[in-house]
Amino acid sequence: MSHPNKRFTKVLVANRGEIAVRVLRGARQQGYKTVAVYSDADRDALHVREADEAVRIGPAPAKESYLVIEGIIAAAKSAGAQAIHPGYGFLSERADFAQAVQQAGLVFIGPDPASIEAMGNKSASKIRMIAAGVPCVPGYQGDDQSDETLKAEALKAGLPVMVKAAAGGGGRGMRLVHDEAALLENIRSARSEAANAFGSGQLLIEKAVVDARHVEIQVFGDRHGNVIHLGERDCSIQRRNQKVVEEAPSPAVDQALRLKMGAAAVAAAKAVNYVGAGTVEFLLGRDGSFYFLEMNTRLQVEHPVTELVYGVDLVDWQLRIAQGEKLPLGQDEVLDNRLGHAIEVRLCAEDPRQNYLPQTGKVLRWQAPAGEGVRVDTYLESGKSISPYYDSMQAKIIAWGEDRETARARLLKALDGTALLGVVSNRDYLRAVLATEAFASGDFSTAFVGKYFPQEKIAAAQPPARQVLLAAVALYLDDARGLAAEHGLGGEMLGWHSSHDSPADFKLKWRDKDYDLELHAEGGHGFSAVVAGEKLEVQAEAAGEGGFRYLAGGVQGTARYARDGDALWLDADGAVECFVDRTYAPAEAAAAGSDGRITAHSDGKIVAVHVKPGDEVQKGQTLVVLEAMKMEFQLAAPMAATVEAVSVEAGTQVKGRQLLVQLKPAG
């Protein structure tokens, strides 16, 4: 593989969001000129402003912009960039992209196309790993893809088994099967999902290692034949095979096991002549046995924990290796540098209480935490929108400490200091995960989320604490320090006066629950509220922009808030909640869909429409499939009905709450 003799001086980052910001800053720090690319949805995004230059590459949908190889290469040429960094996701693990970059005479900051190709197909890579002496999970990765063969091989490996898409990733085309009776059905549905998601229905079978941990090794290779590893990361806390919390080092790995797993990962990388940053993923059994899962031929989302523990800048290393330099450090030096512990969480725009439904909309307020050992990688800004076109991950919050418990405590504190208001996020869920005894003990497996955070437990949302409810009321009503006046709400609102004690009725809605409150002014800037027959006193005063202090029911607290029309987003008492003032609102239909209106739950694209006007449908029958943030959602009929009207077709882009189908209830 030949490289231009002249060193590159200008780097294009073929990505968006937090990773684009991270790579652009890293490249700029090392003296490179930088070029960003953007779709129409990202015209004003932070990564565009971080770069020296930016090039528009197309409309908002990724397949018309960030996934168009020719468009990215044309952008690099027009801006005079001699090298392209792919980030992760999008085109980062596409051998044809690496190939096209090199054929265009540009440097691809990553491995060669042949290495990506060799590791891209899970079946082919497993055959290669077995040949290289890397331990692999027993199973089947052959060419005979008949239902009967796959079933027989699954039984041979021993149930439970994982049925996996060979070309897959992101948890799609993947099934865990415990019973022989369910094998065929799961094989067929995995094949169909894989064909839709990846254009290939090829499957492989693996014995499921029960109660295993997911431990991955960071590897790095140069063009001088050197390959080293930078220890391990534990990514066992996952939901639907997507990582939620990542840490380095793993609580389950000692020095002897680290060297053993590291040696296996280096052997895996050498087997495909690996150059640059990559990650070899393993399943680690309770007995210390480990098995190769797959190799990610790129920088990982969770690379910051390795950087903090080993004191390195992996993007700087990627740039050096791409210039043809040798690895900056040898294996022993790297391992000697290991210090302390780091934990990362992925902050996503999703609602855990609604089965992690992706969320879109305007960010009313974003405040990143600060503090000793805390690092935040993000592209979020107040006033900008989270679009439906890309991944739901918005930020990574990472904390380092001298030991694991210090890192955990700092990360909990950092989450308390994180404000994302205006769009529902998983912040409180992440906090709850870190706070469990099971996480604190370090003794857990990939079964963690299913065991400690089953969906029914999360969905049973606890109503806000009384003091939080009262803090919300205080914000709506307390004009003594101008909190309300600032937002154009006078003290005469709802007939509530600070000068005399005339009780006022106040209705506040939280999710599907209505609160009827009776309020009395108490002089000064306090008032009392009667909630469910109990009288509680409340005081509130401003404390900086978008924040206030309150004393409610004897509990003193601080809160942050943001307003959006009648909606009030409140971050208080360790929880973010959205309240709506319903005092003068008209009555609503009893239940979602009971008026026959089927609406989009978020911005997105209609993938399929399964009904037409005049069709009779049953309760639970799928009417429309909506795609948002790389996931598909089946929108079902809430009752037996007749379809009156269908206002969308496959391919239509829709907004949240847009009417899709009108039903007429049966009978």
Side-chain angles (χ1 to χ4, degrees):
M1 166 65 227
S2 65
H3 269 269
N5 295 328
K6 193 161 170 268
R7 287 169 67 92
F8 59 84
T9 54
K10 196 178 212 181
V11 178
L12 178 140
V13 178
N15 218 298
R16 65 174 300 282
E18 61 85 18
I19 188 57
V21 173
R22 156 77 186 101
V23 175
L24 287 161
R25 285 179 179 166
R28 201 178 58 214
Q29 210 174 327
Q30 301 307 324
Y32 292 94
K33 291 199 174 96
T34 55
V35 183
V37 290
Y38 64 91
S39 72
D40 291 343
D42 285 334
R43 188 181 303 113
D44 304 321
L46 180 60
H47 79 275
V48 173
R49 301 200 312 278
E50 281 287 332
D52 297 316
E53 298 167 50
V55 182
R56 177 189 177 271
I57 49 167
K63 62 170 175 283
E64 295 172 47
S65 50
Y66 295 105
L67 291 172
V68 180
I69 291 174
E70 309 75 51
I72 303 270
I73 289 172
K77 296 216 150 172
S78 71
Q82 310 104 332
I84 294 180
H85 192 303
Y88 50 69
F90 291 143
L91 296 168
S92 64
E93 292 189 275
R94 290 263 299 273
D96 54 344
F97 179 51
Q99 186 79 46
V101 170
Q102 292 185 353
Q103 280 172 347
L106 306 171
V107 176
F108 181 72
I109 301 174
D112 289 330
S115 307
I116 299 177
E117 187 74 52
M119 286 302 194
N121 181 299
K122 290 191 168 92
S123 296
S125 65
K126 196 169 166 186
I127 292 164
R128 197 179 277 256
M129 290 302 103
I130 291 167
V134 178
C136 290
V137 183
Y140 174 74
Q141 51 281 332
D143 293 333
D144 181 350
Q145 289 283 304
S146 68
D147 289 0
E148 292 66 39
T149 300
L150 291 171
K151 181 178 176 180
E153 290 290 346
L155 296 173
K156 193 166 118 190
L159 296 172
V161 295
M162 290 295 287
V163 178
K164 286 180 165 183
R172 289 185 287 270
M174 201 181 272
R175 302 282 186 278
L176 173 61
V177 188
H178 289 276
D179 305 311
E180 184 176 342
L183 263 172
L184 283 177
E185 174 201 338
N186 278 283
I187 285 167
R188 285 167 187 156
S189 70
R191 184 184 287 126
S192 140
E193 190 172 300
N196 287 334
F198 312 111
S200 162
Q202 189 188 348
L203 299 176
L204 61 108
I205 305 284
E206 283 181 352
K207 183 174 173 59
V209 183
V210 181
D211 214 23
R213 296 181 85 115
H214 182 124
V215 175
E216 61 189 30
I217 305 281
Q218 172 74 59
V219 293
F220 232 106
D222 63 21
R223 293 203 175 274
H224 304 270
N226 303 305
V227 182
I228 62 166
H229 70 89
L230 293 97
E232 81 286 353
R233 295 185 285 257
D234 197 311
C235 308
S236 301
I237 296 186
Q238 310 180 355
R239 186 187 58 76
R240 294 191 195 134
N241 303 298
Q242 292 278 26
K243 297 163 187 173
V244 177
V245 182
E246 299 121 342
E247 58 182 306
S250 165
V253 175
D254 59 19
Q255 186 64 359
L257 184 55
R258 179 170 300 117
L259 295 176
K260 218 161 126 186
M261 293 182 81
V266 167
K270 283 187 166 169
V272 295
N273 303 315
Y274 199 80
V275 172
T279 301
V280 183
E281 306 202 348
F282 294 101
L283 275 181
L284 173 63
R286 277 206 172 268
D287 59 358
S289 59
F290 57 91
Y291 306 100
F292 171 82
L293 265 179
E294 62 178 325
M295 182 172 188
N296 290 299
T297 54
R298 53 171 168 79
L299 197 65
Q300 293 278 88
V301 173
E302 55 274 22
H303 74 272
V305 293
T306 298
E307 293 187 325
L308 290 171
V309 167
Y310 285 90
V312 294
D313 178 338
L314 294 177
V315 170
D316 173 40
W317 279 33
Q318 285 186 302
L319 293 163
R320 289 174 184 275
I321 299 308
Q323 293 279 25
E325 293 180 26
K326 285 186 174 174
L327 281 167
L329 297 172
Q331 186 63 75
D332 292 345
E333 291 173 287
V334 164
L335 294 179
D336 286 348
N337 280 348
R338 183 168 66 86
L339 181 66
H341 202 101
I343 309 173
E344 166 179 304
V345 288
R346 301 183 179 198
L347 184 69
C348 298
E350 63 185 18
D351 187 352
R353 291 191 268 211
Q354 289 192 66
N355 206 15
Y356 306 90
L357 198 61
Q359 304 289 308
T360 58
K362 188 176 177 185
V363 176
L364 302 174
R365 178 147 192 234
W366 163 249
Q367 186 179 320
E372 189 68 34
V374 172
R375 166 175 165 178
V376 180
D377 284 17
T378 188
Y379 76 109
L380 284 174
E381 297 176 281
S382 297
K384 296 288 166 69
S385 286
I386 293 174
S387 92
Y389 298 102
Y390 315 112
D391 196 82
S392 62
M393 189 180 81
Q394 306 302 315
K396 303 182 310 207
I397 299 166
I398 312 115
W400 177 91
E402 291 79 6
D403 51 48
R404 186 172 186 270
E405 187 49 35
T406 305
R408 187 179 78 95
R410 283 176 173 174
L411 190 50
L412 279 166
K413 187 99 174 64
L415 283 170
D416 288 342
T418 302
L420 173 53
L421 303 179
V423 179
V424 176
S425 81
N426 66 341
R427 187 203 74 169
D428 300 344
Y429 167 79
L430 293 171
R431 205 191 181 294
V433 168
L434 295 176
T436 58
E437 271 183 42
F439 182 79
S441 75
D443 183 10
F444 49 82
S445 74
T446 52
F448 178 94
V449 169
K451 188 172 174 183
Y452 298 102
F453 292 88
Q455 192 50 43
E456 51 277 16
K457 177 181 166 185
I458 301 172
Q462 292 302 308
R466 280 181 326 192
Q467 61 264 30
V468 175
L469 186 66
L470 293 173
V473 175
L475 250 184
Y476 273 116
L477 297 182
D478 181 25
D479 64 338
R481 292 292 172 94
L483 271 176
E486 214 178 283
H487 294 274
L489 299 176
E492 71 284 354
M493 181 184 170
L494 309 182
W496 181 81
H497 298 271
S498 50
S499 56
H500 59 94
D501 188 5
S502 56
D505 289 327
F506 196 71
K507 287 188 174 65
L508 210 53
K509 187 181 181 72
W510 171 81
R511 292 194 171 244
D512 293 329
K513 190 173 167 61
D514 284 305
Y515 292 91
D516 288 328
L517 309 168
E518 190 183 288
L519 307 176
H520 299 261
E522 297 288 353
H525 43 84
F527 64 91
S528 65
V530 178
V531 187
E534 188 181 357
K535 186 176 176 183
L536 296 160
E537 294 198 358
V538 188
Q539 286 189 0
E541 58 180 281
E545 190 193 342
F548 67 102
R549 282 191 291 275
Y550 64 92
L551 180 64
V555 177
Q556 190 168 331
T558 57
R560 291 173 288 214
Y561 71 95
R563 306 190 51 126
D564 185 16
D566 285 340
L568 168 70
W569 290 80
L570 187 64
D571 181 0
D573 205 36
V576 176
E577 301 293 1
C578 181
F579 297 95
V580 180
D581 175 6
R582 301 282 303 159
T583 308
Y584 292 143
E588 288 183 318
S594 59
D595 55 359
R597 287 168 55 83
I598 305 299
T599 58
H601 57 70
S602 80
D603 294 3
K605 186 175 102 174
I606 302 299
V607 179
V609 178
H610 294 309
V611 291
K612 58 185 187 305
D615 285 0
E616 296 198 352
V617 295
Q618 299 308 308
K619 179 176 180 178
Q621 185 177 332
T622 300
L623 308 176
V624 176
V625 182
L626 174 75
E627 182 185 47
M629 288 181 169
K630 304 202 301 196
M631 289 169 71
E632 288 190 2
F633 300 91
Q634 321 277 330
L635 305 185
M639 66 260 177
T642 305
V643 178
E644 275 195 333
V646 178
S647 52
V648 289
E649 57 187 39
T652 310
Q653 292 287 345
V654 295
K655 300 296 264 176
R657 297 190 285 282
Q658 183 175 328
L659 178 66
L660 309 178
V661 177
Q662 181 69 52
L663 301 176
K664 184 180 180 188

